[in-house]
Amino acid sequence: MADLTTDFLGIKSPNPFWLASAPPTDKEYNVRRAFEAGWGGVVWKTLGAEGPPVVNVNGPRYGAIYGADRRLLGLNNIELITDRPLQTNLDEITRVKADYPDRAIIVSLMVPCEEQAWKDILPLVEATGADGIELNFGCPHGMSERGMGAAVGQVPEYIEMVTRWCKQYYSKPVIVKLTPNITDVRKPAEAAMRGGADAVSLINTINSITSVNLDSMSPEPSIDGKGSHGGYCGPAVKPIAMSMVSEIARNPETNGLPISGIGGVTTWRDAAEFMALGCGNVQVCTAAMTYGFKVVEEMISGLSEWMDEKGYSSTSDFVGMAVPNVTDWQFLNLNYVAKAEIDQDACIKCGRCFAACEDTSHQAISMSEERVFEVIDAECVACNLCVDVCPIEDCITMVQMEPGEIDPRTGKVVEEEYANWTTHPNNPGACAAE
């Protein structure tokens, strides 16, 4: 059996599945239930400094984007950081950590960009026995308007400065949570590294308005006829999150910086993909809010079975394996040729592939009077659209042409030296490198 135990920054947990800082980790009751369900760790919902109380709205806090079957694809929230007293949270963290010493507990923090504010709160957090802290530099709503959250995460100099304070006044690992609401995520990651961060986590939520109520003409969720931008999360943000993770993982300036992956992790496969792109573990929120804490059972069993099939004995065996295969477009092999192929036995004759290709692509699929759909190789550029719109998995596949074959579209011989594309004279990337 594969060993799912992870060691992230010296923090051990029985599996790589942590709950992200969010409503599911808001209190002792939730966290205990999460640990009993099998979660390997939690990042406690963001704590703020003592002072004026945080007041959340007493109305709808979430907006949603659904698929055709009403499956939740994206969740928008306008909730702020914890509105519970600081000392109450600290006491609960202390008790839970004492009762679950084998589980990871990270405390998310957000206080003003003032050294004294951090100097005051960090000893209180350290006294709880928690395993580390996560600096919330990503929240895009509410707190950012007060000069915190994403307002800090969008300024590399602030990230570096606050991270240095935390490393000075706190002895355990410091994780910096990055905002996706920025042009180049590598810059804040580099700033966190310069400040001494032990790791980064990403992505935090994406600034969004998910819908507009066309009766009240206000954004959803609507509070007394008004709405606000909020933070978008869930399965829909996964592609954005993985791209940002990969940019940090392959950036020479942040090489070796540990990453905790966040953004749409719903299944074991999602987790494995994030980890293949360089994440030492993953954090989950929307999946737990959609399906409950026991969703982790499928994640654990699925990842374990897949690792057994692949021969991986520990998660470290495959972490980062996909990173070398992430490249810039200019380095893609233009000598590689593939063609679509339709499995006639699996085809249900719905015609989606034909409609998509005929109307919006390359007119590379023919339809007979008997509704038999066939690929016209001379027109097919292997764009993959037919595969993507086909409702039957593996009914249409892309088949690589062998070197030496004649490409019916171009009439040229498929070149044999695929491996030499990086130095091929037709490669614009190679020319640019020279």
Side-chain angles (χ1 to χ4, degrees):
M1 292 290 290
D3 181 8
L4 298 190
T5 301
T6 56
D7 185 332
F8 188 73
L9 309 178
I11 304 168
K12 291 188 177 181
S13 56
N15 60 65
F17 303 109
W18 292 6
L19 282 172
S21 170
T25 62
D26 186 39
K27 59 178 72 73
E28 179 177 1
Y29 176 80
N30 292 23
V31 174
R32 287 183 181 275
R33 286 177 57 83
F35 284 159
E36 290 304 312
W39 291 89
V42 303
V43 182
W44 206 276
K45 184 172 168 66
T46 306
L47 311 185
E50 292 179 316
V54 172
V55 180
N56 272 294
V57 295
N58 290 311
R61 299 181 184 182
Y62 307 116
I65 294 292
Y66 298 105
D69 58 356
R70 201 171 162 79
R71 185 170 72 92
L72 188 66
L73 300 180
L75 199 64
N76 168 288
N77 88 89
I78 59 170
E79 184 167 306
L80 303 181
I81 65 175
T82 184
D83 51 15
R84 305 167 71 237
L86 175 61
Q87 193 57 52
T88 298
N89 278 295
L90 295 173
D91 291 342
E92 292 183 0
I93 293 167
T94 302
R95 289 195 295 268
V96 175
K97 184 58 190 177
D99 290 345
Y100 295 90
D102 65 325
R103 309 301 175 94
I105 296 184
I106 307 297
V107 179
S108 177
L109 294 175
M110 182 192 293
V111 300
C113 266
E114 301 166 0
E115 184 173 2
Q116 190 62 47
W118 289 96
K119 188 176 181 180
D120 290 342
I121 199 171
L122 289 170
L124 302 178
V125 173
E126 186 147 7
T128 65
D131 299 293
I133 59 174
E134 182 180 80
L135 311 185
N136 185 344
F137 292 157
C139 187
H141 58 276
M143 306 308 293
S144 59
E145 289 136 3
R146 308 178 195 189
M148 293 181 278
V152 178
Q154 291 166 340
V155 184
E157 293 80 6
Y158 290 173
I159 295 174
E160 181 178 353
M161 176 180 68
V162 176
T163 303
R164 287 189 188 280
W165 292 340
C166 292
K167 290 301 293 180
Q168 180 179 353
Y169 300 119
Y170 185 73
S171 67
K172 293 184 177 180
V174 175
I175 304 169
V176 174
K177 190 173 187 179
L178 303 178
T179 178
N181 303 300
I182 195 164
T183 304
D184 187 346
V185 76
R186 295 173 297 180
K187 301 306 180 185
E190 291 169 9
M193 197 168 184
R194 288 194 302 270
D198 297 284
V200 292
S201 59
L202 68 154
I203 56 172
N204 208 312
T205 52
I206 300 171
N207 212 0
S208 65
I209 291 178
T210 51
S211 62
V212 173
N213 185 313
L214 294 179
D215 292 320
S216 64
M217 287 297 174
S218 64
E220 299 279 13
S222 181
I223 306 295
D224 194 25
K226 300 290 184 181
S228 176
H229 62 90
Y232 192 52
C233 59
V237 310
K238 176 190 165 190
I240 299 168
M242 290 203 300
S243 174
M244 290 189 169
V245 162
S246 73
E247 287 302 292
I248 294 172
R250 71 189 185 103
N251 178 19
E253 299 300 319
T254 50
N255 183 39
L257 180 64
I259 303 171
S260 182
I262 313 169
V265 176
T266 307
T267 68
W268 70 264
R269 183 179 294 274
D270 297 330
E273 291 175 8
F274 269 93
M275 296 171 77
L277 286 172
C279 297
N281 66 10
V282 293
Q283 297 183 32
V284 181
C285 172
T286 307
M289 295 178 73
T290 306
Y291 303 110
F293 285 148
K294 288 190 175 181
V295 70
V296 76
E297 294 177 356
E298 183 276 336
M299 295 180 181
I300 292 171
S301 62
L303 185 63
S304 179
E305 291 175 12
W306 173 76
M307 289 173 61
D308 285 341
E309 291 174 4
K310 293 294 185 179
Y312 300 131
S313 59
S314 69
T315 58
S316 60
D317 289 346
F318 67 91
V319 168
M321 284 188 67
V323 175
N325 294 325
V326 181
T327 188
D328 295 329
W329 191 96
Q330 64 181 345
F331 297 113
L332 296 178
N333 186 355
L334 300 188
N335 286 335
Y336 180 90
V337 179
K339 298 293 178 184
E341 186 174 280
I342 300 173
D343 182 344
Q344 298 298 337
D345 292 332
C347 180
I348 61 172
K349 304 183 187 302
C350 68
R352 287 191 190 177
C353 61
F354 173 78
C357 189
E358 187 71 13
D359 290 351
T360 69
S361 197
H362 296 275
Q363 298 77 51
I365 296 179
S366 65
M367 179 178 68
S368 71
E369 293 183 0
E370 294 76 26
R371 290 185 67 83
V372 174
F373 301 94
E374 295 182 318
V375 177
I376 305 171
D377 285 345
E379 302 297 335
C380 179
V381 299
C383 72
N384 212 57
L385 179 61
C386 57
V387 176
D388 293 335
V389 301
C390 179
I392 306 300
E393 188 174 3
D394 295 329
C395 175
I396 308 179
T397 54
M398 288 295 159
V399 179
Q400 176 184 343
M401 293 189 68
E402 295 297 325
E405 290 187 78
I406 303 295
D407 181 347
R409 188 177 72 87
T410 64
K412 296 180 179 180
V413 177
V414 176
E415 293 196 31
E416 297 185 16
E417 297 183 346
Y418 290 154
N420 294 332
W421 178 248
T422 54
T423 58
H424 195 285
N426 291 340
N427 180 356
C431 297
E434 293 173 2

